Amino acid sequence: MAKSVAHQVAFSPPTASAILKYLTDSKSAFLKDKEGGDEKKWTVVLGNEAGAGLDLDSLASAIAYAWFLSQVEKKPAVPLIQIGREDFNLRAENLYALSLTGIHDPASELLTTSDVPQFPSTDFFLVDQNRLPPQFSGTVVGIIDHHQDEGLHKDTAKIRQISLCGSCASLVASSLPAQVPQELATLLFTAMVIDTNGFKPGGKATAEDREAATKLVPLLAPSSLDDFEPPMPDALHEVSFITALNKELSTRKSDLSYLSGWDLLRRDYKEYSFTLRWMEGEPTIKVGLATVPVALKVWGKKGKLEQESLKWMKHRGLTVLGVLTTFKGKKGVHKRQMAVIITDETGKVDVPALASKFWAGIEGNTELDARIHKKFKLERNGHLPANSAGKVYKQRNATATRKTVAPLVKAILEEGVPISKEADPPGSVKL
Ligand SMILES: [Mn+2]
């Protein structure tokens, strides 16, 4: 892990956390009521869902607003964190922000989707989103959000505070009473800092974010600094504890080298299904594309890439897995690699035929400009089982993301021909 800069953060984390007590109490009371079919009285505060990569803004906004409803408005309210219990580990900056708030074991202390796989119909208060996700049913009683207003839930939401600013946490902070517990102010503040890059001018921070942050600062300021002068809203980015906190959060956010291959593969993952009409029996196969922000040499050497990929493929029932890495090489140059593994457990897929089409499709694509990686030779090092194939490429076009790769994969698999965006006019198919 990269060197921590925690010691530079000049405010001291709270010792005893009243927020933690509220969270664990409300979680167990909600689960107990749900058990007895008595959950209707609850308002569930729901942040947005971003796969396994929940962001700090949703997390902080949901916790803070649920605390407000419960402790100030005296209504039964609980935040539902929209990730699985095992997914907290995927975001080191979230773990850090939660630890500053006194939450050291979020997987057991917070209510997650693992605790309630089938969510009952309740009242919902939405934060950091303004449309109730389709897997939930119930009444939306309020919305605080910083995304484009979709104009929904107008008949039931008594509060609809939607405003385009850098962080939803700023809007939540503005709607709380002036004196909130220090740890709650800290949690909201970390989300605002990470979303606005420390309130840097010219970034995502708006006047609304700066105003909300300025109000929180006195609650966070180190008590040792007797002569601490609250900053002006336009000078927040120059306050030393804020720049240190921003650096700490972004270092943790970008350093993923501590994650296992398994976690890296599932962290930012999309899955597709294609029918191979050109193959005998026309099998339908599943294809996964994982975007991994860590170079293969960090986590995939000595057969680890093959081992972790095959484990993930078995878990998801995949025939093809593409691992798309994105990282900074020496001298800070942005690079991308693409590893592709093909295997078949159904006996219905002609792996050599599929592999040769795949390699031809990738190698013939001028947009990716892919070249075989000389250090990762999957088919020669003995880590792939029989009836499998694999290759690793260096993508010379480091700007081509999964948005480029996914349509190419579709074209290769469904049409069985390589496409080349630059060489061919739209609609033409090179045979
Ligand atoms: Mn947000």
Side-chain angles (χ1 to χ4, degrees):
M1 197 183 295
K3 209 164 159 252
S4 171
V5 291
H7 59 279
Q8 294 171 13
V9 180
F11 61 85
S12 46
T15 44
S17 177
I19 299 302
L20 176 60
K21 182 163 176 8
Y22 155 66
L23 290 167
T24 50
D25 286 354
S26 64
K27 176 181 176 176
S28 60
F30 174 79
L31 289 175
K32 199 165 158 234
D33 281 348
K34 187 193 152 272
E35 203 60 44
D38 193 21
E39 71 281 344
K40 285 272 178 220
K41 65 180 184 229
W42 286 84
T43 299
V44 174
V45 183
L46 194 65
N48 77 39
E49 167 196 45
L54 178 83
D55 72 31
L56 188 49
D57 193 26
S58 271
L59 187 63
S61 297
I63 290 174
Y65 205 77
W67 173 87
F68 168 72
L69 285 177
S70 162
Q71 305 295 299
V72 180
E73 305 262 287
K74 306 291 177 195
K75 292 176 191 150
V78 65
L80 173 66
I81 312 304
Q82 281 213 70
I83 52 173
R85 210 176 278 144
E86 69 285 3
D87 293 339
F88 281 105
N89 190 33
L90 300 181
R91 293 271 174 170
E93 75 280 15
N94 289 0
L95 292 178
Y96 175 68
L98 288 169
S99 76
L100 294 179
T101 314
I103 301 164
H104 297 280
D105 183 15
S108 73
E109 290 157 355
L110 298 173
L111 182 71
T112 68
T113 47
S114 303
D115 299 306
V116 203
Q118 290 297 316
F119 208 84
S121 173
T122 63
D123 284 352
F124 288 95
F125 195 106
L126 305 181
V127 289
D128 205 19
Q129 63 185 338
N130 59 72
R131 173 195 286 266
L132 185 68
Q135 67 270 35
F136 297 98
S137 71
T139 308
V140 173
V141 296
I143 299 171
I144 298 181
D145 186 27
H146 68 138
H147 294 91
Q148 201 73 47
D149 188 351
E150 297 185 50
L152 299 169
H153 311 299
K154 284 190 167 160
D155 47 339
T156 55
K158 288 178 206 86
I159 296 171
R160 278 183 102 265
Q161 197 194 331
I162 302 174
S163 170
L164 300 173
C165 60
S167 181
C168 184
S170 304
L171 301 174
V172 170
S174 311
S175 50
L176 298 185
Q179 284 301 322
V180 297
Q182 190 206 7
E183 60 263 45
L184 204 63
T186 302
L187 183 60
L188 288 166
F189 199 76
T190 55
M192 291 151 77
V193 165
I194 209 161
D195 280 357
T196 62
N197 191 17
F199 310 101
K200 288 225 173 80
K204 286 186 185 160
T206 65
E208 230 162 343
D209 294 298
R210 291 195 174 91
E211 201 177 308
T214 309
K215 280 189 200 150
L216 288 183
V217 163
L219 301 173
L220 314 171
S223 49
S224 55
L225 293 184
D226 290 337
D227 55 350
F228 183 79
E229 285 278 335
M232 298 298 288
D234 288 340
L236 285 165
H237 64 284
E238 291 166 347
V239 176
S240 65
F241 92 82
I242 297 176
T243 52
L245 179 62
N246 188 33
K247 194 171 171 208
E248 179 71 41
L249 287 165
S250 55
T251 302
R252 287 176 188 255
K253 187 176 179 177
S254 59
D255 177 25
L256 298 166
S257 54
Y258 71 98
L259 289 176
S260 66
W262 175 268
D263 280 343
L264 287 170
L265 290 175
R266 70 195 183 89
R267 188 178 167 277
D268 183 358
Y269 172 76
K270 286 207 162 68
E271 203 168 87
Y272 314 82
S273 150
F274 300 111
T275 300
L276 309 180
R277 304 217 179 278
W278 49 272
M279 191 179 279
E280 208 187 307
E282 301 192 5
T284 296
I285 61 165
K286 273 169 84 179
V287 176
L289 292 177
T291 299
V292 173
V294 183
L296 288 176
K297 73 169 183 203
V298 177
W299 63 277
K301 280 198 296 198
K302 295 183 184 161
K304 281 233 176 71
L305 165 65
E306 296 92 314
Q307 211 180 322
E308 301 276 338
S309 297
L310 288 164
K311 199 165 81 175
W312 181 249
M313 292 174 82
K314 196 178 174 81
H315 177 70
R316 300 297 315 173
L318 302 180
T319 300
V320 180
L321 174 65
V323 181
L324 315 175
T325 69
T326 165
F327 60 98
K328 289 222 168 88
K330 278 184 215 139
K331 297 178 197 155
V333 182
H334 181 208
K335 295 185 170 185
R336 282 181 191 269
Q337 305 159 321
M338 178 179 2
V340 179
I341 293 180
I342 303 174
T343 192
D344 177 50
E345 292 199 336
T346 65
K348 291 179 188 155
V349 178
D350 180 346
V351 171
L354 177 56
S356 68
K357 274 215 196 306
F358 219 98
W359 311 148
I362 290 169
E363 289 160 29
N365 183 271
T366 50
E367 190 177 359
L368 292 182
D369 200 5
R371 301 295 143 100
I372 295 281
H373 198 303
K374 293 200 179 81
K375 291 197 184 115
F376 285 89
K377 296 222 160 111
L378 305 191
E379 284 169 344
R380 284 201 216 146
N381 60 15
H383 296 292
L384 285 179
N387 202 30
S388 302
K391 274 195 199 306
V392 179
Y393 296 97
K394 283 184 180 175
Q395 239 179 258
R396 297 220 292 200
N397 174 9
T399 63
T401 65
R402 184 165 53 201
K403 287 199 180 76
T404 303
V405 175
L408 171 64
V409 169
K410 179 177 159 69
I412 294 170
L413 296 178
E414 293 196 333
E415 292 152 31
V417 293
I419 56 162
S420 177
K421 278 195 179 169
E422 276 169 41
D424 300 326
S428 83
V429 174
K430 192 165 71 184
L431 292 166

